[in-house]
Amino acid sequence: MALLEVQDLHTFYGSIEALRGLSFTVEEGEIVALLGSNGAGKTTTLRSISGLERPRSGAIRFLGRDISHMPAHRIVQLGLGHVPEGRRIFVNLSVEENLMLGGYLLRRTPREVQARRDEVFERLPRLLERRHQLAGTLSGGEQQMLAIGRALITRPRLLALDEPSMGLAPILVQSIFQIIAQIRKGGTAILLVEQNARQALRLADRGYVLETGSIVLADTAKALAENRRVQAAYLGGEPEVAL
Amino acid sequence: MVATRLGPAQSLITRYGPFVVLLLALAFPLGVNAYWVTVGIGILTFAMLGLGLNLVVGYAGLLDLGYAAFYAIGAYTTALLTTVFHMSFWATLPFAVIFSALAGVIVGYPTLRLRSDYLAIVTLGFGEIVRITATNLGFTGGPNGIYGIPSPSLFGFQFFSQNSQYYLALAFVLFVLFFTRQLAHSRLGRAWLSLREDESASEAVGVPSVRVKLWAYVFGAIFGGLAGAFFAARLTAISPDSFTYTQSINILMVVVLGGMASFPGVLLGAAVVIGLPEMLRFMQIWRLFVFAIGLIVLMLLRPQGIWPAASRKENPFGPGQAGKLGPPLPLDALRREETGGEGAALRVTGLRRRFGGVTAVDDVGFEVRRGEICSIIGPNGAGKTTVFNCITGVTRTDAGDVQLDGRGLNRRQPHQVVAAGLSRTFQGIRLFKNMSVYENVLVGMYPHQRASVLDSLIHTGRQRREERESLLRCQAWLRFCGLEEQAGHRASELSYGDQRRLEIARALAAQPKVLLLDEPAAGMNPSEKQSLMGLVRRIRDLGVTVVLIDHDMNLVMGVSDHVVVLDRGRKIADGTPQEIQADERVVDAYLGRDEQTDEEVGAWPS
Amino acid sequence: MSVFVQYLVNGLTIGSFYALVALGYTMIYGIIRLINFAHGDLFMVGAFAGWFVVGIAAGMHLPVAVQLLLALLIAMLAVGLLAMGIERVAYQPLLKASRLSILITALGVSLALENGAMIAFGAGFDTFPPNILPLSGFQFLGAQVGDVQLAMFVLSVVLMVGLYLFVQYTPVGTAMRALSFDQDAARLMGINVEGVVLITFLLGGSLAAASGVMMGLYYTQINFMMGFLMGLRAFTAAVLGGIGNIPGAMVGGLLIGVLQSLAAGYISSQWQDVIVFAVLILVLVFKPTGIFGERVVERM
């Protein structure tokens, strides 16, 4: 049984059909990349999975349970973390408060939360230096690290990452991808939406290519990296390799 | 939900409904006792107030919690002028109107820039100030108010009896109804609605929001003052108790309960808010409690109000309307007169913008030549949209200079940028969702329309001519963008691709020199994208310079004369499509450098 | 000088009552962007609940201190639960509808509470038992300060500080601040947003009830319409301090109380509300976010 199994997912924004029957799976411990151009439906897919959007039809099974109608906070509780597009850290709270909120579900065992917070600080010493600053004053890379660290405090079984390298300098992109590699090593499966397709595919086991709300290509990361259609999906234009 | 087509029953209601209601209103005093006639007058008074407040709340979307202040100012003006200066009721009306309008300006002008919730409390405070002042001053009669106001008379006829006063009230309602409807169906009314729907989008298509809001306020005040003048003369005595905060809330309920921006809704709302508690009198002390519960239940069941405004309109260019408007404009009418002049259409130099700790745009500069299609490309987060926002005055710039046709645009507000000849679309579509397709385009024409506020109020010949010309141009733009068939639809009903095209049509309606398109192709399939690029070329062929943001490189390459590449807030390339395609840095920026990830990493969480 | 101090003392006492109610306005606005027009009426219900409990407790010949404590606690609990019930039934279904429709619903709730109280307790004034509170006091800088005044002020401050600590240092309080900024991100932290909103109403309602009980005891008379003026002034206080800002509401409430007391003392009690509103309008025109308000990020 797959860790996450999405079947024929349809999600609408008003009268606009953003997802048109999406199906894919993520297995325990693997990294799966979702690729595609802007507006292809990648972010909507993640938001539907984590309960921020209500899909109109289709099934989303996580650990064997249908979560398509579960409220978002219950899905997090089941072990599905989501680092949303644009990081969405709480800029009005301090770095430390952001991390403590990451441990909100463990609030009855504050000592455990502190231990895990310290673990984040150990991994990401930049955050330790700035623990009392308002999160809004962090640089883009630090904000992204905070967003990832915050999502890891609950130790999710699956982590959905939406464009973690967006707008970051190459050196920071490097560190973010290192962190992703660490997370996988820790046994967390990752569903990765990423602009930086080459690097995403280097790290991923498998990948899917989305176009206007449907999956047009599914393969191993290695095969996708060599597929010209992937380039087409990013750079645009007609695919040079037919399906 | 809105019916997909105006059914025969519905069109019967729209055609004959008003006459039936008018007949019923005329016959009402004949069929009931004096008590109910008094209730009827109350309903009509609140209908006037509701119609006035509807402009402020229903149309412009400004929450006003002190509307009774204008009602009070009108009432006291008439009361004082008739009792102290022995003026006739009719002669006091202009003063009532002027004083309440002035009050509207005095409250509105300094406060309309505030966020709407603060505006709400300012209006509330103003309402209380007016009431307490009237209670405490000597010449307003203090808490007892003013007595002995003469009843209105006309050609020797005294409006003394209940029935005559009822008909006078009805005449006032019809008068207010007529003029508020005139305003609603004008340039100003459309601008109000657009502000209610999306204030920043409205600014971005050229509506000067503060001035337009102020007019909503002033007209609201005028009609409130008029209702007050009537009220004073009818009762022949007024006291501050009639102008409490509770009264303001009742008027607000009339509007929201009936249905915002809906004329039948407001009339119905007045009947419910004033009539229903009267009908519940048999419940004695339970009356208002039951009314309150009813109000809650009604809002839960119908949050849009009892009779919401129809957002789907009859297509003004449909087959049924043929001949009314005249022949459609030829495509050539849309062509831009070449403004001549050498130099760049748009020149950006040294643009810089930081958000918190993140530099979104860092020293970006480029030039767009007249009549070309220029694309700004780059991966997500490269700062493309921020560049657009800086150029159009939506966000402040930290440094840099923007010139349109050699004239500086720095520090201009978004609506001034549009008036200067630079229009835009948004990455996330920002239409006026609850307005019809053609109304969206008409709002886009705001900066070039000349109808004054007075023209809008009385629909002068000049105004009607301009409206007809605007409709014809609107038709031409919709046809140009392939949307003529859907002109009467509600904007939010359109398909995704059509919404994108409507946004373009709305931006074009401002007759821009330069059009900025922010990811117009996002979320489109390849064939939709191709047709969109065809549209972009046709726009250029009309003489409009186009600046385009997109990700889709091959598509951009096909259509652009000139490409600027941004990455992480900096410009990394600038040249012809051929030059850009050959540029290694660009491909790297898109697909990412394939750098070695350090495999020797520890597991986390451990 | 001593007169000035006297006005100040009286103003701070009343102001602390305003501040407790203003906190509810500001918290609820901060979290769901609703001006809860029914909030002043919760204060009124609190006053009646306290009055009712004192009546029963006095009949049981309990010591006065126990009577007062019971009145305070039961009123706070009852009104807190009432506020939660109102949110669940009347507001929650409308959170995604237009903001004006939920506002009208709040007005409906306000009207229902007022008329419900009128039906239950009559339209006239009800009075707390006379001399239930000691009249003792002391001189301070030439002003007469009642022991009761001081006790009430201290109790208000304790409640406010308690709230502040809760919001600042507990996970649920942090969640409140987080979701007032970004609801979706809060959900992704596993925060039950609807639940936290309910807790906010519970807190706001019980603070209003505490204020109601104290104000009722202070003036001894209560009436079903007493929530109206209180609501107006407390809302003003919340905006003056910067709506959505908790310390702002506290300071705003005290300021309004002092301003009112000074205006009534030096000018005329008839004009006190005019002066309060005039100051509010001036503050908003020149500092549109209130005294403590931060610039709200407009999301594009």
Side-chain angles (χ1 to χ4, degrees):
Chain A
M1 185 185 65
L3 178 64
L4 176 76
E5 189 180 351
V6 174
Q7 232 169 37
D8 197 27
L9 191 64
H10 291 262
T11 301
F12 285 72
Y13 291 117
S15 60
I16 295 166
E17 187 174 10
L19 299 184
R20 309 176 182 194
L22 221 60
S23 303
F24 66 93
T25 58
V26 181
E27 301 290 337
E28 199 86 57
E30 70 172 347
I31 297 184
V32 172
L34 283 184
L35 309 174
S37 69
N38 250 26
K42 304 178 305 266
T43 295
T44 309
T45 306
L46 295 197
R47 287 176 61 85
S48 304
I49 291 171
S50 60
L52 295 179
E53 302 294 340
R54 264 295 144 253
R56 187 167 296 181
S57 64
I60 305 170
R61 267 184 291 277
F62 180 64
L63 294 165
R65 296 177 63 171
D66 188 359
I67 58 170
S68 57
H69 290 283
M70 211 179 261
H73 66 273
R74 297 265 300 112
I75 295 175
V76 185
Q77 212 160 16
L78 284 182
L80 201 161
H82 180 179
V83 179
E85 185 181 18
R87 298 142 200 160
R88 305 284 282 273
I89 53 165
F90 301 110
V91 297
N92 57 331
L93 304 184
S94 72
V95 169
E96 177 149 22
E97 284 173 329
N98 267 276
L99 290 176
M100 296 312 265
L101 275 181
Y104 184 78
L105 288 170
L106 309 168
R107 62 188 181 282
R108 304 206 194 291
T109 51
R111 208 159 292 151
E112 183 63 30
V113 177
Q114 277 165 23
R116 295 187 187 189
R117 174 203 64 193
D118 291 339
E119 191 190 8
V120 173
F121 282 147
E122 203 177 299
R123 297 279 173 179
L124 307 168
R126 293 281 286 274
L127 297 183
L128 180 62
E129 287 164 32
R130 293 159 200 268
R131 64 192 289 179
H132 297 303
Q133 281 184 19
L134 283 189
T137 62
L138 297 184
S139 75
E142 290 162 347
Q143 290 190 4
Q144 188 63 56
M145 288 178 191
L146 177 58
I148 294 176
R150 187 178 69 171
L152 282 177
I153 292 211
T154 49
R155 308 216 163 137
R157 296 281 288 277
L158 172 66
L159 184 64
L161 287 172
D162 199 344
E163 304 252 6
S165 77
M166 183 165 127
L168 300 184
I171 180 79
L172 287 168
V173 176
Q174 276 306 305
S175 1
I176 295 291
F177 274 94
Q178 288 225 2
I179 292 168
I180 296 172
Q182 290 175 12
I183 297 169
R184 190 247 294 270
K185 236 178 196 171
T188 306
I190 291 169
L191 181 57
L192 179 64
V193 165
E194 183 47 68
Q195 185 83 30
N196 194 326
R198 283 182 186 160
Q199 200 136 21
L201 288 174
R202 257 192 85 80
L203 211 56
D205 302 294
R206 296 185 298 118
Y208 297 89
V209 178
L210 269 73
E211 227 172 65
T212 55
S214 319
I215 287 175
V216 292
L217 197 56
D219 213 329
T220 63
K222 208 172 160 63
L224 285 177
E226 285 153 16
N227 191 325
R228 295 190 66 90
R229 175 148 186 155
V230 175
Q231 255 193 4
Y234 271 78
L235 300 177
E238 291 302 318
E240 285 158 56
V241 179
L243 275 174
Chain B
M1 286 289 103
V2 182
T4 43
R5 183 151 296 159
L6 293 178
Q10 225 172 337
S11 73
L12 269 183
I13 288 176
T14 35
R15 184 162 306 167
Y16 299 112
F19 295 104
V20 175
V21 172
L22 182 61
L23 281 178
L24 285 177
L26 284 170
F28 177 76
L30 309 177
V32 297
N33 61 26
Y35 172 74
W36 281 101
V37 176
T38 314
V39 174
I41 298 173
I43 292 176
L44 291 172
T45 311
F46 268 75
M48 288 176 226
L49 292 165
L51 287 169
L53 185 63
N54 186 33
L55 298 181
V56 182
V57 179
Y59 274 84
L62 304 166
L63 182 55
D64 188 335
L65 298 177
Y67 190 64
F70 304 118
Y71 186 39
I73 289 169
Y76 272 96
T77 306
T78 293
L80 287 171
L81 291 179
T82 49
T83 54
V84 179
F85 297 99
H86 305 292
M87 287 168 69
S88 86
F89 167 69
W90 305 102
T92 65
L93 289 184
F95 292 96
V97 163
I98 289 168
F99 288 153
S100 32
L102 271 178
V105 175
I106 291 167
V107 195
Y109 186 73
T111 56
L112 281 170
R113 285 177 185 81
L114 296 177
R115 273 175 44 217
S116 58
D117 307 298
Y118 289 115
L119 187 66
I121 182 125
V122 168
T123 55
L124 191 162
F126 176 68
E128 284 297 285
I129 287 174
V130 168
R131 184 184 63 82
I132 299 170
T133 307
T135 315
N136 291 336
L137 288 183
F139 77 96
T140 54
N144 297 326
I146 298 172
Y147 292 90
I149 306 160
S151 299
S153 65
L154 195 62
F155 306 120
F157 177 79
Q158 282 275 336
F159 289 91
F160 221 67
S161 71
Q162 287 293 332
N163 281 8
S164 66
Q165 290 182 350
Y166 175 90
Y167 288 115
L168 183 62
L170 189 60
F172 263 79
V173 169
L174 290 176
F175 177 85
V176 175
L177 184 63
F178 176 76
F179 283 107
T180 47
R181 271 181 62 95
Q182 297 274 71
L183 285 168
H185 294 137
S186 74
R187 174 181 186 234
L188 197 56
R190 287 189 299 266
W192 285 336
L193 274 183
S194 75
L195 282 173
R196 184 193 77 184
E197 290 292 305
D198 186 338
E199 182 165 342
S200 32
S202 179
E203 275 266 326
V205 300
V207 175
S209 61
V210 174
R211 196 184 322 153
V212 168
K213 280 196 251 178
L214 188 60
W215 278 115
Y217 231 65
V218 168
F219 277 114
I222 285 175
F223 293 118
L226 213 56
F230 167 78
F231 176 77
R234 171 183 96 82
L235 275 188
T236 70
I238 54 168
S239 77
D241 291 343
S242 306
F243 311 107
T244 56
Y245 166 72
T246 314
Q247 208 66 312
S248 296
I249 294 304
N250 282 337
I251 307 167
L252 183 65
M253 275 199 236
V254 166
V255 176
V256 181
L257 194 68
M260 299 217 300
S262 155
F263 286 92
V266 170
L267 300 178
L268 205 59
V272 171
V273 171
I274 302 304
L276 196 59
E278 295 298 333
M279 287 164 75
L280 294 175
R281 272 207 186 275
F282 70 92
M283 298 185 148
Q284 298 168 359
I285 60 168
W286 287 88
R287 172 174 78 102
L288 283 179
F289 184 76
V290 170
F291 173 72
I293 300 295
L295 185 69
I296 298 167
V297 172
L298 196 65
M299 282 331 279
L300 288 172
L301 296 179
R302 289 190 73 91
Q304 304 303 315
I306 309 173
W307 189 317
S311 43
R312 180 185 259 266
K313 301 277 159 64
E314 213 166 329
N315 185 342
F317 320 119
Q321 311 293 315
K324 283 189 197 166
L325 201 58
L329 292 179
L331 189 63
D332 260 355
L334 301 178
R335 196 172 298 284
R336 239 204 110 68
E337 301 300 321
E338 202 36 70
T339 46
E342 287 302 302
L346 181 70
R347 177 182 289 125
V348 176
T349 36
L351 208 60
R352 187 171 279 130
R353 178 76 175 111
R354 290 177 66 84
F355 294 106
V358 184
T359 304
V361 175
D362 191 3
D363 196 21
V364 167
F366 57 90
E367 265 186 27
V368 182
R369 283 180 296 277
R370 212 178 303 280
E372 75 173 5
I373 296 175
C374 168
S375 291
I376 301 178
I377 64 170
N380 261 6
K384 306 181 297 290
T385 296
T386 309
V387 169
F388 267 23
N389 286 343
C390 289
I391 293 175
T392 51
V394 171
T395 51
R396 189 174 51 76
T397 50
D398 294 327
D401 180 55
V402 178
Q403 294 207 326
L404 179 72
D405 246 351
R407 284 185 304 147
L409 289 185
N410 298 333
R411 270 181 241 294
R412 291 215 197 188
Q413 304 205 314
H415 69 88
Q416 295 169 321
V417 171
V418 182
L422 186 80
S423 295
R424 73 172 293 178
T425 64
F426 290 92
Q427 190 179 103
I429 301 170
R430 296 186 73 164
L431 292 169
F432 307 125
K433 290 200 181 87
N434 292 309
M435 295 174 77
S436 67
V437 167
Y438 77 91
E439 286 170 320
N440 266 274
V441 176
L442 286 177
V443 173
M445 295 181 181
Y446 188 94
H448 294 279
Q449 289 175 328
R450 289 288 156 259
S452 68
V453 171
L454 200 63
D455 289 329
S456 297
L457 182 65
I458 52 184
H459 285 205
T460 54
R462 185 163 80 127
Q463 192 268 357
R464 285 201 299 268
R465 211 172 315 120
E466 184 178 82
E467 282 291 296
R468 206 167 52 83
E469 281 162 13
S470 297
L471 264 178
L472 280 171
R473 286 190 80 79
C474 169
Q475 179 185 26
W477 283 122
L478 286 174
R479 176 173 294 178
F480 181 78
C481 295
L483 289 169
E484 194 182 351
E485 297 280 301
Q486 290 102 308
H489 286 36
R490 184 165 52 160
S492 60
E493 292 177 327
L494 294 184
S495 74
Y496 188 75
D498 286 347
Q499 291 194 17
R500 286 265 175 221
R501 276 200 291 278
L502 175 55
E503 230 194 346
I504 294 174
R506 185 180 69 182
L508 283 170
Q511 304 175 32
K513 293 173 184 157
V514 177
L515 176 66
L516 306 183
L517 300 174
D518 194 349
E519 293 208 27
M524 289 186 168
N525 64 35
S527 78
E528 285 173 325
K529 284 183 186 180
Q530 285 306 331
S531 89
L532 181 84
M533 288 305 138
L535 177 63
V536 170
R537 280 195 201 94
R538 288 193 292 127
I539 292 171
R540 190 249 331 259
D541 295 343
L542 290 176
V544 179
T545 308
V546 181
V547 184
L548 183 76
I549 286 180
D550 216 289
H551 284 263
D552 194 326
M553 257 213 324
N554 285 355
L555 206 70
V556 160
M557 294 306 167
V559 78
S560 311
D561 303 303
H562 168 199
V563 178
V564 174
V565 188
L566 298 185
D567 188 26
R568 294 182 219 102
R570 290 171 168 278
K571 185 168 89 169
I572 58 166
D574 187 338
T576 64
Q578 292 74 28
E579 289 164 359
I580 296 297
Q581 267 164 329
D583 195 322
E584 267 301 309
R585 281 171 305 173
V586 177
V587 178
D588 276 349
Y590 263 81
L591 291 174
R593 257 151 298 235
D594 191 11
E595 277 159 287
Q596 208 61 36
T597 306
D598 187 0
E599 295 294 340
E600 297 304 307
V601 292
W604 183 30
S606 44
Chain C
M1 177 63 192
S2 64
V3 176
F4 177 78
V5 177
Q6 187 69 57
Y7 291 149
L8 211 60
V9 167
N10 296 346
L12 285 175
T13 313
I14 306 297
S16 65
F17 304 155
Y18 293 159
L20 287 176
V21 182
L23 280 171
Y25 273 112
T26 229
M27 285 198 294
I28 291 165
Y29 182 87
I31 212 156
I32 56 174
R33 300 280 180 271
L34 165 70
I35 301 170
N36 182 16
F37 280 102
H39 197 67
D41 299 298
L42 291 175
F43 156 89
M44 176 273 297
V45 174
F48 273 101
W51 170 81
F52 191 71
V53 172
V54 166
I56 290 175
M60 293 161 69
H61 302 292
L62 295 172
V64 169
V66 177
Q67 288 181 28
L68 296 180
L69 194 68
L70 275 179
L72 190 72
L73 292 180
I74 293 178
M76 286 176 73
L77 185 68
V79 176
L81 292 177
L82 175 66
M84 281 173 86
I86 290 169
E87 197 279 336
R88 183 65 196 81
V89 173
Y91 300 159
Q92 208 186 82
L94 286 171
L95 283 180
K96 291 205 168 73
S98 108
R99 289 195 25 206
L100 277 169
S101 55
I102 189 168
L103 212 69
I104 295 294
T105 313
L107 290 169
V109 172
S110 162
L111 201 59
L113 289 176
E114 285 166 12
N115 285 280
M118 186 192 75
I119 292 163
F121 303 108
F125 282 89
D126 287 305
T127 47
F128 275 86
N131 306 328
I132 186 172
L133 295 177
L135 295 170
S136 56
F138 56 92
Q139 292 284 319
F140 175 72
L141 294 176
Q144 177 68 29
V145 183
D147 289 342
V148 170
Q149 272 183 313
L150 185 65
M152 285 180 171
F153 184 75
V154 169
L155 179 60
S156 303
V157 171
V158 166
L159 287 173
M160 286 189 255
V161 170
L163 177 82
Y164 181 77
L165 295 177
F166 176 83
V167 170
Q168 208 62 26
Y169 296 109
T170 66
V172 175
T174 314
M176 282 179 182
R177 285 183 288 144
L179 79 88
S180 73
F181 190 80
D182 188 338
Q183 290 210 359
D184 274 355
R187 284 179 211 281
L188 293 179
M189 300 297 104
I191 295 167
N192 176 356
V193 170
E194 288 71 27
V196 174
V197 171
L198 282 173
I199 294 175
T200 310
F201 273 82
L202 175 76
L203 292 175
S206 45
L207 290 180
S211 174
V213 174
M214 285 194 282
M215 188 113 154
L217 286 165
Y218 188 67
Y219 286 118
T220 71
Q221 285 201 321
I222 58 175
N223 174 267
F224 75 103
M225 281 304 290
M226 69 190 282
F228 169 72
L229 255 189
M230 169 53 96
L232 219 56
R233 290 171 183 161
F235 178 38
T236 307
V239 175
L240 188 65
I243 196 154
N245 184 303
I246 285 177
M250 300 180 194
V251 174
L254 295 176
L255 263 178
I256 295 278
V258 169
L259 200 62
Q260 218 177 17
S261 168
L262 291 178
Y266 285 112
I267 303 168
S268 145
S269 66
Q270 290 170 334
W271 291 101
Q272 59 178 10
D273 280 320
V274 169
I275 290 158
V276 166
F277 283 121
V279 168
L280 172 81
I281 291 174
L282 288 177
V283 167
L284 284 183
V285 168
F286 292 105
K287 184 148 188 346
T289 50
I291 300 172
F292 287 85
E294 295 128 43
R295 193 153 287 286
V296 172
V297 182
E298 299 282 345
R299 262 161 266 176
M300 278 300 296

